[in-house]
Amino acid sequence: MDDVVKSLISRPERVVTSANGKPSREEAEEAVRVLLRWAGDNPEREGLLETPARVVKAYEELFSGYRQDPREVLERVFAEVEGYDDLVLVRDIPFFSHCEHHMVPFVGKAHIAYYPTDGVVGLSKLARLVDVFAKRLQTQEAMTAQIASTIETELNPRGVAVLVEAEHMCMSMRGVLKQGASTVTVQFSGSFRDNPSEQAHFYTLLRGGR
Ligand SMILES: Nc1nc2c(ncn2[C@@H]2O[C@H](COP(=O)(O)OP(=O)(O)OP(=O)(O)O)[C@@H](O)[C@H]2O)c(=O)[nH]1
Ligand SMILES: [Zn+2]
């Protein structure tokens, strides 16, 4: 995997800390009041009085991924798997993210497969990894690459395959107004990369039982 993709895992310039200018809660709430006025409403009316505080609190949750280190999620590896070394696939991991162009949600599912080498990771950790990146401003392509790259770096597997399918609300509820269009992104690394039969194995398992 090239350096550009690797640098997407954790780019320090993407994360603002207090030391390099993170605004205060009051400043963030004031920014929400400005946007409310921009939308044409009156932030002083009763129904909106507590809205800035709620929005800021919601942002803490929706963008909590900036405060998490994706590498820590995969720290714990279980080595005793009786020699299991075939594909592990967790499919249909639901996520909500926000596109970095419009700050509007994109919603979908991620499917993650890897060939373990030195043990396996807890299955829930793969779903947690999706959320670390989903809960940041994103493009779907970057999120897909970041998930694959983190697994590759942290678990050193024989191969990783990540497929993400999502609907972008910035295409559905505004702009081009195409409801239901879905975007599929896929990132292969290691043994999947240039091997059509490995990729076919992944797609077969992904479809299995449906
Ligand atoms: N490649 C990619 N594009 C995205 C993603 N999320 C949103 N976009 C696109 O980002 C583009 C931004 O295009 P611009 O022309 O700069 O912005 P815009 O005028 O709001 O574009 P429209 O959405 O076409 O109205 C749009 O084409 C979106 O569909 C994503 O995850 N990946
Ligand atoms: Zn968008």
Side-chain angles (χ1 to χ4, degrees), residues 98-106 138 168-171 174:
H98 288 77
C99 82
E100 65 186 30
H101 301 133
H102 301 96
M103 297 179 73
V104 168
F106 64 96
Q138 277 297 8
H168 289 246
M169 295 306 148
C170 64
M171 279 182 69
R174 61 157 294 287

Side-chain angles (χ1 to χ4, degrees), residues 61-80:
E61 189 179 339
L62 295 172
F63 299 114
S64 57
Y66 289 110
R67 303 192 300 277
Q68 291 174 296
D69 183 340
R71 294 167 299 191
E72 283 177 13
V73 175
L74 300 182
E75 251 169 17
R76 185 157 197 216
V77 171
F78 301 108
E80 274 189 30

Side-chain angles (χ1 to χ4, degrees), residues 73-105:
V73 175
L74 300 182
E75 251 169 17
R76 185 157 197 216
V77 171
F78 301 108
E80 274 189 30
V81 285
E82 306 290 337
Y84 185 89
D85 61 358
D86 212 312
L87 207 58
V88 176
L89 166 68
V90 181
R91 65 183 182 185
D92 296 328
I93 302 167
F95 70 85
F96 294 90
S97 189
H98 288 77
C99 82
E100 65 186 30
H101 301 133
H102 301 96
M103 297 179 73
V104 168

Side-chain angles (χ1 to χ4, degrees), residues 160-192:
V160 183
V162 178
L163 189 146
V164 175
E165 47 189 316
E167 179 172 357
H168 289 246
M169 295 306 148
C170 64
M171 279 182 69
S172 314
M173 59 188 283
R174 61 157 294 287
V176 74
L177 294 173
K178 297 294 179 200
Q179 294 94 332
S182 72
T183 301
V184 177
T185 45
V186 62
Q187 178 81 53
F188 291 121
S189 74
S191 59
F192 287 102

